[in-house]
Amino acid sequence: MIESLDVFSSAYSFQEEDLRDKTVVMIDVLRASSTMVTALNNGAKGVIPVGDMDDASKISHNLDSQSFLLSGEKDGVTIEGYDLGNSPLEHSRDAVLGKTIILNTTNGTRAIKRSANANRIVVGSFLNLSSVVDYLKESRDEVVLVCAGWRGRLSLEDLLCAGNIIYELYPDQLPQTARDGAKVAFGLYEKFGDDIENSIKSSNYAVRLKDIVGEDDLTYCCQRSTLQVLPVLKDGIISDLNGKEK
Ligand code: MLT
């Protein structure tokens, strides 16, 4: 039984101390979470989330050049000189099998870095929704769903995913231990949950992202529970807990 449940609306909507000893689910539907889940599903050894290009460069210099890929975007556009952008569709099995992905994104990887005080950090998206829900059902922690958002603002797609996770945990009624953020996310899902794809495709970032990379990423990231991957951060590397002994 989860001890308490809250939702933070963006990577910058909380004090880092707020997450001490909690279980965090970081949600960045468009697209960092979806990309991490997809890369791990396609055989990547792990994902190293970094907060900026300096971190990415320092880590890459200590690794065998054949063992990793530099992935990432700035404001949705692939970072110059990187191997891949942040489209989940770029992280195919051919591209990532056996590789470690150093991932640098505008909001999602920064949300992970700011959650460093957490007891555990899990990566959630629509793609691995049921794996996240199954994991949380066994949790006894205080749980915070951290939405990456966009530069400190709320992203509808992240909050909707948080609401969907909460709805799957508590389909009938929210517990007394649900905080205001959880109630808001749950209410958003009750309003838009019957048409996830169209709701997300009309979100502020989806409209901007479509102009940059087209619609395929948006359609892909709206699929629910298609990948049974549970990305968990340990010693700076995110790997698939479902792919290993728990
Ligand atoms: C983010 O960190 O907000 C996303 O990675 C942005 C994107 O992938 O376009």
Side-chain angles (χ1 to χ4, degrees):
M1 177 73 180
I2 292 172
E3 188 175 332
S4 71
L5 182 60
D6 204 351
V7 173
F8 291 171
S9 61
S10 89
Y12 300 97
S13 66
F14 57 91
Q15 302 300 317
E16 295 182 39
E17 187 56 32
D18 295 345
L19 293 177
R20 188 168 297 285
D21 302 330
K22 293 187 173 65
T23 286
V24 162
V25 178
M26 193 289 287
I27 300 169
D28 185 354
V29 171
L30 300 176
R31 300 165 291 177
S33 293
S34 303
T35 294
M36 291 185 225
V37 167
T38 302
L40 292 170
N41 184 69
N42 288 339
K45 276 179 70 176
V47 177
I48 300 175
V50 295
D52 56 42
M53 291 176 74
D54 284 348
D55 281 356
S57 176
K58 282 177 197 150
I59 290 169
S60 62
H61 284 139
N62 294 322
L63 294 175
D64 166 10
S65 61
Q66 296 306 307
S67 68
F68 72 90
L69 292 171
L70 267 174
S71 294
E73 55 68 44
K74 186 158 177 49
D75 297 332
V77 178
T78 299
I79 296 171
E80 192 176 339
Y82 277 30
D83 300 298
L84 300 173
N86 189 34
S87 166
L89 299 176
E90 289 179 274
H91 290 71
S92 62
R93 180 166 290 273
D94 284 347
V96 307
L97 185 63
K99 303 278 190 185
T100 296
I101 311 293
I102 300 173
L103 185 63
N104 176 15
T105 76
T106 311
N107 303 280
T109 54
R110 291 185 187 172
I112 291 174
K113 305 301 280 184
R114 295 201 72 241
S115 301
N117 290 324
N119 177 45
R120 172 146 279 191
I121 299 175
V122 173
V123 175
S125 66
F126 283 109
L127 294 166
N128 68 328
L129 192 125
S130 58
S131 295
V132 171
V133 169
D134 290 346
Y135 175 79
L136 292 179
K137 281 179 177 173
E138 303 302 317
S139 175
R140 297 284 181 276
D141 279 358
E142 291 187 84
V143 172
V144 180
L145 309 183
V146 172
C147 296
W150 178 263
R151 294 186 180 282
R153 282 177 246 165
L154 179 156
S155 288
L156 180 134
E157 62 274 10
D158 296 343
L159 199 61
L160 197 52
C161 186
N164 197 164
I165 291 170
I166 296 169
Y167 184 84
E168 294 301 319
L169 285 168
Y170 304 107
D172 303 317
Q173 185 178 358
L174 282 178
Q176 289 302 315
T177 52
R179 305 280 169 81
D180 290 355
K183 294 172 184 173
V184 170
F186 183 83
L188 187 73
Y189 181 75
E190 281 189 311
K191 171 83 177 158
F192 293 110
D194 60 0
D195 190 3
I196 293 277
E197 185 166 336
N198 286 322
S199 303
I200 289 176
K201 286 184 174 179
S202 62
S203 76
N204 295 155
Y205 189 58
V207 170
R208 293 201 305 274
L209 190 60
K210 182 183 174 185
D211 287 343
I212 299 169
V213 299
E215 196 162 353
D216 290 349
D217 273 14
L218 305 182
T219 304
Y220 175 79
C221 292
C222 293
Q223 300 173 96
R224 263 188 288 201
S225 301
T226 50
L227 305 180
Q228 279 64 51
V229 173
L230 190 73
V232 175
L233 179 73
K234 184 172 171 52
D235 301 328
I237 300 179
I238 296 169
S239 57
D240 177 12
L241 196 62
N242 282 354
K244 295 183 173 59
E245 289 304 311
K246 285 198 179 176

